[in-house]
Amino acid sequence: MGAALARLELRFPALFVRLEDLALTIAAEDVVNMPSYVIRCPQRLPVTFRHSIA
């Protein structure tokens, strides 16, 4: 299970390359994390991007 998660996490940089106009719709300091002692992840992560026609 850990190896599968590691492979999935390796794909995140490719996401940001393909969606180069990806941006948060709220301020970074306004992101609220899930209440957990095990993992840190946001409750919501509102993003937007402008799709360019190439």
Side-chain angles (χ1 to χ4, degrees):
M1 188 154 132
L5 178 61
R7 283 191 298 272
L8 181 62
E9 288 176 342
L10 288 174
R11 294 182 183 176
F12 281 126
L15 174 69
F16 297 118
V17 169
R18 294 184 72 183
L19 300 175
E20 57 193 34
D21 292 330
L22 191 65
L24 285 172
T25 58
I26 61 173
E29 57 270 4
D30 293 335
V31 174
V32 177
N33 289 318
M34 297 284 289
S36 174
Y37 294 110
V38 179
I39 189 168
R40 183 175 180 210
C41 65
Q43 287 181 349
R44 291 182 43 230
L45 195 59
V47 295
T48 186
F49 72 97
R50 183 179 62 234
H51 182 69
S52 60
I53 300 172

